[in-house]
Amino acid sequence: MRDLDLTTLRLFVSVCETRSIARAGEQASIVGSAISKRLAQLEDAVGTPLLLRKRRGVVPTPAGETLLEHARAMLGSAQRIERDMAAYAGGARGHVRVLASASVMAESLAEDVANFLQNPAHRDIRVDMEERVSPEIVRGIREGSASIGLCWDAADLEGLQRRSYRSDHLAVVAHPSHPVVHRGKVRFEDVLDHEFVGMPALSAVQLMLAREAAVAGKPLVYRVLVSNFDAALRVVRAGLAISVVPAEVAQPFADTYGLRLMPLADAWARRRFAICFRDEATLSLAAQLLVAHLERCAPDRAAAV
């Protein structure tokens, strides 16, 4: 198959999204006949029909749906290339893309990266960060969509190189009027009779809680589902449910609003995070410098310095 033309792919995506060649042409300031010609050439290149013409517009065929998914990925990569090259043109001599879990982002990563960038020797380095759940982080590093990943070290990191980062401790956070606050030592199975605030199902914390509830033989009942720690803590503040979150994330919120924070006594509640990447030898110098800086942020390394 001949090299695919990004302009044609961009027009193909626009036609699929608008369900109209005419509207896609208006958006791109191109006449519809020119788009139709490009699409015909694209179908000829891939060897199969990509669009079905109907009375009220066009829809992608099954092959078109597959190409649409790939086209969006290719266009996204092209945009990242353009942004990366623009960074160099603007004077940044290093660009590092980082994927990190919600816990890492909420706890320490922003401050650690800010400290790294404050070093005059790093003034020409740009660091972009994106929050993902652990499986997506690992997949992103394996596929090369980012240079560095930071996630719970219990994730499946097979085939990747890793370094130690920080750690945290999961805790139950509750409204002061909740009956769970009268307990002394808190174990997860002891609070499973209460309703919880839940977060994305694929996050490392939620997967671990579901597994531990199954081991305890008790249901994990969610009263509220939210997308981030801040929302979860607001639900707790309202007295609607309890939540299990990293103590490092909840402590400032608990101090401000008088919530009760009870670290879990379970051994698995103490988590360590890992810095992962495909191969240190292939990392850019900027990425190598950032990895070294983040590794020094690990408590055991900091104590040894």
Side-chain angles (χ1 to χ4, degrees):
M1 188 171 62
R2 298 191 299 269
D3 292 338
L4 294 176
D5 174 25
L6 287 179
T7 298
T8 299
L9 289 179
R10 190 174 291 108
L11 291 171
F12 172 71
V13 171
S14 180
V15 169
C16 290
E17 291 177 344
T18 62
R19 295 292 195 265
S20 168
I21 292 176
R23 282 196 294 272
E26 291 173 359
Q27 293 179 357
S29 298
I30 299 176
V31 296
S33 59
I35 294 180
S36 295
K37 182 178 179 180
R38 280 182 174 270
L39 294 179
Q41 292 171 340
L42 180 60
E43 289 180 325
D44 180 61
V46 299
T48 188
L50 298 172
L51 295 169
L52 289 175
R53 278 71 174 177
K54 296 192 173 183
R55 293 180 61 185
R56 295 189 177 182
V58 295
V59 295
T61 64
E65 291 284 2
T66 299
L67 180 61
L68 178 60
E69 180 180 349
H70 288 299
R72 284 170 172 159
M74 291 176 66
L75 293 173
S77 295
Q79 289 175 349
R80 288 193 293 271
I81 291 172
E82 183 178 358
R83 186 175 63 182
D84 289 356
M85 294 304 99
Y88 281 97
R93 289 196 294 271
H95 187 191
V96 186
R97 181 169 291 103
V98 178
L99 302 179
S101 67
S103 296
V104 172
M105 291 284 279
E107 294 174 27
S108 55
L109 184 60
E111 290 79 4
D112 290 342
V113 170
N115 289 335
F116 172 79
L117 296 176
Q118 286 169 6
N119 185 331
H122 304 155
R123 64 180 179 274
D124 293 327
I125 295 176
R126 174 188 174 94
V127 178
D128 288 344
M129 298 179 289
E130 183 177 347
E131 182 181 308
R132 300 273 188 91
V133 294
S134 292
E136 292 178 355
I137 293 171
V138 174
R139 183 168 61 251
I141 299 304
R142 286 175 176 156
E143 294 176 351
S145 62
S147 302
I148 300 171
L150 292 103
C151 59
W152 186 28
D153 68 356
D156 179 13
L157 300 177
E158 183 179 359
L160 299 179
Q161 296 180 8
R162 56 194 286 179
R163 299 288 184 273
S164 296
Y165 185 47
R166 294 182 179 270
S167 62
D168 69 5
H169 197 151
L170 296 176
V172 175
V173 59
H175 190 276
S177 65
H178 197 282
V180 77
V181 303
H182 300 299
R183 293 181 176 273
K185 190 175 182 180
V186 179
R187 298 183 62 85
F188 182 57
E189 66 177 336
D190 297 331
V191 298
L192 278 171
D193 294 330
H194 301 282
E195 294 179 319
F196 287 78
V197 186
M199 284 178 286
L202 291 180
S203 70
V205 173
Q206 300 307 122
L207 290 172
M208 180 165 58
L209 295 182
R211 182 177 65 245
E212 294 302 324
V215 170
K218 294 183 177 181
L220 181 56
V221 180
Y222 290 117
R223 184 177 185 183
V224 183
L225 295 174
V226 297
S227 61
N228 54 63
F229 290 125
D230 184 70
L233 292 169
R234 290 181 182 278
V235 172
V236 173
R237 180 189 174 194
L240 294 176
I242 62 175
S243 187
V244 174
V245 299
E248 292 76 3
V249 173
Q251 191 64 63
F253 206 98
D255 291 343
T256 300
Y257 298 108
L259 302 180
R260 297 292 187 268
L261 194 62
M262 296 155 286
L264 285 170
D266 305 85
W268 50 262
R270 171 65 69 178
R271 302 187 301 166
R272 294 184 178 277
F273 297 108
I275 309 162
C276 61
F277 42 88
R278 287 190 293 178
D279 185 354
E280 187 172 14
T282 62
L283 288 177
S284 67
L285 176 59
Q288 292 179 23
L289 290 170
L290 180 57
V291 167
H293 171 80
L294 295 176
E295 188 179 7
R296 288 194 296 271
C297 293
D300 54 341
R301 289 295 299 271
V305 174

